Amino acid sequence: DTVSGHWEMAGAPADFAFGYFKDLQRSFPPDLLNAIMAEGKLPGILGDCHASGTVIIEDLGAEHVRTGKPIFYTSADSVIQIAAHEESFGLQRLYTLCVIVRHLVDPLKIGRVIARPFVGNEADGFVRTGNRKDFAIPPQDGTILDRAAEAGRKIVTSGKIGDIFAHRNSGHEVKAAGNLTLFDAMLPSISSLAEGGLLFANFVDFDSEFGHRR
């Protein structure tokens, strides 16, 4: 999994069992959904299942825009994903909803709550944007980021690293959409690092575009 794998690479593997939503349909506990709808002031939710993110926005995108109900789905990973239209629902509103859900799933030890914004319309189709944001459970103490910070070293994190480590000791965060754009954005940060500085990078396209379903 993204979270546990990166924590282990960083020298602080998880010492607890992550929670999962194992049911393929009606995946989320009713009491959790009721709390989400109450705190998030939602008219309801769509999805509530295991799904491919690209497929589910094609299936439910138009209904989401029409009803204002965000799309909730999960997978075999320890994750809850929330898809919503950037314009009709609002990007910042989606992020705020994810913060609410992050708090509610902390007791369940869910690794990530992921905001999956998209744009488009029913006639032309819907497409996800580069404004994805991950809200991760905080890592164990003692990651290489923690140790570098304690030693007073300069830290640069690139791509999803800040999200994966809950922005703890993630230093200067570099983000951009697409591997090549991110690489170009990251290069100036390398030259700014003093001797002994730390750069920790994640290029998500290798997974999401070229690896995850292959």
Side-chain angles (χ1 to χ4, degrees):
D1 179 78
T2 296
V3 172
S4 58
H6 279 77
W7 290 1
E8 186 167 344
M9 283 192 290
D15 65 356
F16 61 88
F18 284 83
Y20 298 88
F21 301 108
K22 297 180 180 179
D23 293 336
L24 299 183
Q25 300 291 329
R26 296 184 179 179
S27 302
F28 306 113
D31 58 341
L32 172 62
L33 291 180
N34 289 336
I36 290 171
M37 287 185 285
E39 292 197 28
K41 297 180 173 58
L42 301 174
I45 67 116
L46 303 174
D48 190 9
C49 61
H50 282 230
S52 157
T54 52
V55 173
I56 202 167
I57 64 171
E58 284 299 326
D59 291 345
L60 298 177
E63 185 177 357
H64 158 68
V65 171
R66 185 173 64 253
T67 64
K69 298 176 181 179
I71 303 167
F72 280 67
Y73 63 102
T74 188
S75 66
D77 293 334
S78 180
V79 64
I80 181 168
Q81 306 203 55
I82 309 172
H85 198 282
E86 283 196 3
E87 296 160 0
S88 66
F89 190 84
L91 182 60
Q92 190 55 53
R93 185 184 176 199
L94 174 59
Y95 291 160
T96 300
L97 176 59
C98 287
V99 171
I100 292 170
V101 175
R102 174 70 268 168
H103 166 72
L104 292 172
V105 299
D106 277 350
L108 303 178
K109 301 295 184 183
I110 301 302
R112 285 176 295 162
V113 177
I114 304 178
R116 288 289 197 175
F118 63 92
V119 293
N121 55 64
E122 187 172 11
D124 300 324
F126 298 99
V127 61
R128 298 195 297 200
T129 74
N131 292 320
R132 164 188 172 154
K133 193 169 184 178
D134 293 36
F135 299 81
I137 191 170
Q140 305 297 112
D141 290 333
T143 71
I144 193 170
L145 295 172
D146 295 335
R147 297 179 187 200
E150 289 165 5
R153 299 176 185 270
K154 186 170 181 179
I155 299 168
V156 174
T157 53
S158 183
K160 292 200 309 177
I161 296 299
D163 293 340
I164 293 167
F165 288 86
H167 306 282
R168 193 180 76 205
N169 292 322
S170 51
H172 173 60
E173 297 186 11
V174 178
K175 292 196 174 187
N179 278 359
L180 293 179
T181 306
L182 180 60
F183 191 81
D184 288 340
M186 187 183 72
L187 285 176
S189 300
I190 296 176
S191 60
S192 75
L193 283 174
E195 182 73 18
L198 173 67
L199 171 70
F200 195 170
N202 172 285
F203 290 91
V204 69
D205 285 3
F206 288 122
D207 178 24
S208 60
E209 297 296 328
F210 312 122
H212 209 67
R213 295 184 182 89
R214 297 178 178 82

